Amino acid sequence: MSQQITTKPVVRRRLWTTADGRRFIAGAVVLAVILFGQSIYGMATASGRLDPSLRNATGPSDVVVVLDFMPDRFHNERVAQYGAFAGRDGALNRLRLRFVNPDNLRALSNVAWISRIEPFK
Amino acid sequence: MSVQAAPIATTSTARRALGQLAWTLVPAAPFVIVTLIWIMATGILNPSKETLPPVTDVLASIKELALSGQLATNVVASLYRLLLGSILGIVTGLIGGVIVGLNRKLAESLNPVVVFFNAISGIVWLPLMITWLGIGNALAVFLIWNTVFFIVFQNAALGVQLVPEVYEQGVLALGGGRWQTMRSVILPGALPYILTGIRTGLGFGWRALIAAELVGAATGLGTMIFDAAEYHRSDIIVAGCLIIGVIAIAMDRWLLLPIERRTVRRWGLVADTEKER
């Protein structure tokens, strides 16, 4: 009498088929959105932020950075990284920035919380 | 008979589902209770907003911070430092812990050094590290590494030491090599301790991160809280604390816990009843 030996096949379940796997994917997605969401949104909407007259700037420009809210110390310090901060332009939420080189102008237009970047007249 | 059994089965299933739902909501109960006490305290005692801001003010601050871009920038800066410091701490702690756990004599000789440095809190290193590393990311990363490393190191060493030797001997007796023993017995056996070390280490890593940011960083949640303290903005301070806590819970529940369950289950280190939870 021969005895048949049967073995259970090893079932490797895909990550998204288990509750823990789905939770992990959701966590990873949330983490990615937190880490890169603002930058991606800023880059995607950069062209709408920059005034058309500044898009082809080849040298340093003087600009007015317009915000939709009253800036805090955080915003002043961040904007000042891209050029020489030169005070307000008629309102607290309009920041004058001088000598902004083309690279910094592009970087500035990628900042998601900036509403518009206009030429300083 | 089957006609009578059907409603009983439905009732018991519904009762079980309700019970499960109740247990799912239990972890939220302490938060709800604290929030209710907070609401009542601000309503009855009417403290100044600097002492205890109302819940509505804190929620409004979170919205304002989110819309003005401050929240995302600070969260990203903090998470970047936390991940960098933690990854360094986990990798070095794991390698060191496993090596030390495998060699009892090495463990005994290194134990005083580990206890010595573990007793020195991250904050104590700050004045010295500011002069060595300057103010910036390196300082925060060092402090997080210093916190995470020792916890992961000690847990990994303990986990390796606690693997019963009979299992190792079993693999060796069956013709397995040193590497096979390590891969099939020691690492899976030590895994629950290693993962506990990583989860605990990350929790303590948050504390080190905020301490580092309070002293030396231009952005980050700790900096945000410190700046708010200068202007007596308790609403932003509380908002910062809430955000730190929520991110820590989310990372633990959505990233670390699933990894722990999946890896520990894969090596059959939990019973079947446990698996179904």
Side-chain angles (χ1 to χ4, degrees):
Chain A
M1 195 169 75
S2 67
Q3 192 181 358
Q4 198 180 357
I5 298 169
T6 55
T7 52
K8 259 187 179 176
V10 178
V11 181
R12 287 217 169 166
R13 288 201 264 173
R14 302 235 175 245
L15 191 64
W16 57 85
T17 59
T18 62
D20 277 340
R22 284 192 293 272
R23 200 174 292 162
F24 177 79
I25 291 169
V29 169
V30 170
L31 187 66
V33 168
I34 291 172
L35 284 174
F36 308 113
Q38 188 177 240
S39 312
I40 292 169
Y41 172 77
M43 278 191 271
T45 54
S47 60
R49 219 167 274 127
L50 198 59
D51 191 273
S53 62
L54 293 167
R55 278 180 200 158
N56 299 316
T58 50
S61 317
D62 297 338
V63 300
V64 175
V65 176
V66 184
L67 307 177
D68 279 340
F69 49 86
M70 289 301 137
D72 277 331
R73 177 173 148 181
F74 167 87
H75 304 101
N76 295 337
E77 284 176 359
R78 288 260 128 181
V79 167
Q81 288 174 355
Y82 299 95
F85 184 72
R88 317 282 171 177
D89 190 63
L92 283 172
N93 62 336
R94 294 174 62 86
L95 314 174
R96 288 177 184 167
L97 207 58
R98 289 186 178 275
F99 316 119
V100 184
N101 67 43
D103 286 342
N104 278 349
L105 201 56
R106 267 189 292 279
L108 195 63
S109 67
N110 287 339
V111 178
W113 44 264
I114 289 175
S115 177
R116 289 188 312 281
I117 303 166
E118 298 170 353
F120 174 47
K121 291 160 191 166
Chain B
M1 193 173 166
S2 64
V3 175
Q4 283 175 337
I8 294 166
T10 315
T11 316
S12 93
T13 311
R15 200 173 290 163
R16 205 177 305 143
L18 267 175
Q20 270 180 347
L21 181 70
W23 277 112
T24 313
L25 294 175
V26 162
F31 296 104
V32 174
I33 292 167
V34 170
T35 310
L36 288 175
I37 292 170
W38 181 8
I39 291 168
M40 286 197 303
T42 47
I44 296 165
L45 302 173
N46 203 15
S48 69
K49 287 188 175 181
E50 287 80 19
T51 310
L52 183 66
V55 178
T56 47
D57 279 23
V58 173
L59 293 177
S61 292
I62 292 174
K63 187 182 169 192
E64 188 189 314
L65 290 167
L67 291 177
S68 69
Q70 281 192 65
L71 187 60
T73 308
N74 289 321
V75 167
V76 168
S78 288
L79 275 179
Y80 168 73
R81 291 181 192 120
L82 181 77
L83 291 177
L84 197 59
S86 298
I87 288 168
L88 281 176
I90 289 166
V91 170
T92 52
L94 192 57
I95 293 169
V98 170
I99 291 170
V100 166
L102 288 170
N103 192 326
R104 211 160 279 274
K105 278 186 183 165
L106 185 65
E108 278 169 22
S109 49
L110 279 181
N111 187 44
V113 182
V114 173
V115 172
F116 178 87
F117 282 105
N118 196 25
I120 303 170
S121 133
I123 304 282
V124 179
W125 284 110
L126 263 176
L128 193 62
M129 283 303 140
I130 287 173
T131 57
W132 287 8
L133 303 171
I135 283 175
N137 281 342
L139 177 70
V141 168
F142 169 78
L143 287 184
I144 296 163
W145 172 84
N146 178 62
T147 307
V148 175
F149 172 80
F150 288 106
I151 297 170
V152 175
F153 177 89
Q154 285 181 319
N155 274 280
L158 182 70
V160 170
Q161 283 168 352
L162 288 178
V163 174
E165 215 174 321
V166 67
Y167 295 147
E168 292 176 50
Q169 300 296 340
V171 174
L172 292 171
L174 289 167
R178 189 75 182 141
W179 170 241
Q180 225 162 358
T181 317
M182 175 78 96
R183 206 169 59 89
S184 313
V185 178
I186 294 170
L187 284 180
L191 204 61
Y193 290 89
I194 293 169
L195 290 169
T196 304
I198 291 172
R199 283 178 71 189
T200 315
L202 269 178
F204 280 90
W206 270 107
R207 296 183 188 193
L209 167 75
I210 301 304
E213 285 181 349
L214 285 175
V215 179
T219 51
L221 289 167
T223 314
M224 186 181 89
I225 291 170
F226 194 64
D227 285 348
E230 280 184 35
Y231 299 105
H232 303 288
R233 290 288 304 270
S234 302
D235 52 336
I236 296 179
I237 296 171
V238 177
C241 295
L242 287 177
I243 291 157
I244 291 167
V246 167
I247 295 172
I249 289 178
M251 280 177 72
D252 189 67
R253 292 270 137 184
W254 290 354
L255 292 175
L256 298 175
L257 197 62
I259 292 174
E260 184 180 285
R261 282 192 188 148
R262 190 175 167 85
T263 46
V264 170
R265 271 179 199 177
R266 190 176 161 186
W267 276 288
L269 294 169
V270 283
D272 282 341
T273 47
E274 182 77 4
K275 285 178 190 177
E276 294 311 315
R277 280 203 297 138

